[in-house]
Each structure stands twice: as C-alpha cells, then as structure tokens.
Amino acid sequence: MFKPNYSTCIECKQQRMIVVKKGYCKRCNELKKGKTKPKIKFKKKTGELNMFKELSEEKQSSVCQCCKTLIPSLSPINFSHVLSKGAYPCYRLDKRNIFIVCDNCHHEWTVGDRNQSKFALKREIAQTLKEEYYKAKSGE
C-alpha cells in the first residue's frame, strides 16, 4: 500500500503531498484521470498579497532568511508568518512577522523541528513579538 508523502509532483513540479505511486499530487492525479476540472477559488481579500508584493520589491535579492539559499522566483509560499495568523491576527500584516523562506524551510518550520539552528533568528523574533503582544494585551 502506498503511503502519501511530501515531495515534488512530477506533473506540476510543485512541492505537494504525493498521493499515488506514479508521483502525482492529488490535483494532478485527478486531472490525469479526467475526473475534475481546475476550480477557480475566490479568496477573501486580506491585504496579504499586496504586502507580499511590497516586501518582494523591497528585498531585491530573493534569498532564504533561514538557510541562505537563492530563491529563483518569489511566490506566496515563500512568505512565512513567524507567529501564526490564527493565534495572533494583529500581526497578520506586520512586516516584522514575515520571513522570506525557501519551500523546504517553510515546510520544516510548519511541520518539523523548530529548534534547528537555522531557525534561531525566527525564534528570537517570535519571542520578541509575543512579549510585545502580551504586554499590550495586559495594558488594555
């Protein structure tokens, strides 16, 4: 029995959950079978995309802030929130809360071990923002 894993889809060349032995992600596998058509999802506008565009223009070189590898072209997956948007919604559009990271570092930060040495700066910023958040919250 095939166990799904996180890898590069051989069809769309994106880092996604691979669901079949052939190496396709769920979306590409369904498209290959002709079961579904690509759906256009309209998302609620939060202002994040505009902020990501501003940040990418400010930072001319696209280098991962964790492992220092070159990122060939920036996309929204390369912008990682240090503190989660759900737990700290006030920092959703705060530029201090955004890190530019490669796909691998973003995945490792989200589901992996955050105690790696390459995440030291990100942990430090998280601690500073949390202290600021709780100080402001207790002052209310």
Side-chain angles (χ1 to χ4, degrees), residues 82-95:
V82 178
L83 298 177
S84 70
K85 300 180 282 188
Y88 302 92
C90 59
Y91 288 122
R92 177 183 212 118
L93 299 176
D94 191 332
K95 290 182 182 181

Side-chain angles (χ1 to χ4, degrees), residues 8-9 20-21 24 26 30 50 61 74 86 99 108 123:
T8 304
C9 175
V20 292
K21 282 184 184 178
Y24 296 120
K26 184 177 180 179
E30 289 175 353
N50 291 334
S61 62
L74 286 176
F99 252 54
E108 286 177 32
R123 283 192 314 270

Side-chain angles (χ1 to χ4, degrees), residues 52-64 70-74 79 100:
F52 293 160
K53 287 178 183 177
E54 284 177 27
L55 279 171
S56 63
E57 289 171 4
E58 287 175 15
K59 299 186 185 253
Q60 297 298 325
S61 62
S62 304
V63 176
C64 176
L70 184 65
I71 303 169
S73 62
L74 286 176
F79 296 91
I100 295 178

Side-chain angles (χ1 to χ4, degrees), residues 24-138:
Y24 296 120
C25 65
K26 184 177 180 179
R27 181 180 168 275
C28 292
N29 188 46
E30 289 175 353
L31 287 172
K32 282 278 189 193
K33 290 181 178 180
K35 288 185 177 179
T36 62
K37 295 178 182 174
K39 295 177 184 176
I40 299 172
K41 293 183 180 179
F42 295 100
K43 296 184 177 181
K44 181 174 72 172
K45 293 188 178 188
T46 60
E48 285 181 338
L49 193 57
N50 291 334
M51 188 189 60
F52 293 160
K53 287 178 183 177
E54 284 177 27
L55 279 171
S56 63
E57 289 171 4
E58 287 175 15
K59 299 186 185 253
Q60 297 298 325
S61 62
S62 304
V63 176
C64 176
Q65 290 179 282
C66 294
C67 67
K68 309 296 185 222
T69 59
L70 184 65
I71 303 169
S73 62
L74 286 176
S75 68
I77 191 71
N78 298 118
F79 296 91
S80 173
H81 286 84
V82 178
L83 298 177
S84 70
K85 300 180 282 188
Y88 302 92
C90 59
Y91 288 122
R92 177 183 212 118
L93 299 176
D94 191 332
K95 290 182 182 181
R96 298 173 299 162
N97 192 36
I98 305 294
F99 252 54
I100 295 178
V101 293
C102 64
D103 295 350
N104 292 334
C105 288
H106 196 177
H107 179 70
E108 286 177 32
W109 175 260
T110 306
V111 298
D113 180 19
R114 293 183 177 190
N115 292 324
Q116 296 178 40
S117 61
K118 67 181 177 180
F119 295 132
L121 178 61
K122 203 168 184 179
R123 283 192 314 270
E124 190 177 302
I125 290 172
Q127 186 62 34
T128 304
L129 291 174
K130 282 180 185 179
E131 287 171 3
E132 180 182 301
Y133 175 80
Y134 290 115
K135 187 176 181 181
K137 197 168 185 169
S138 66

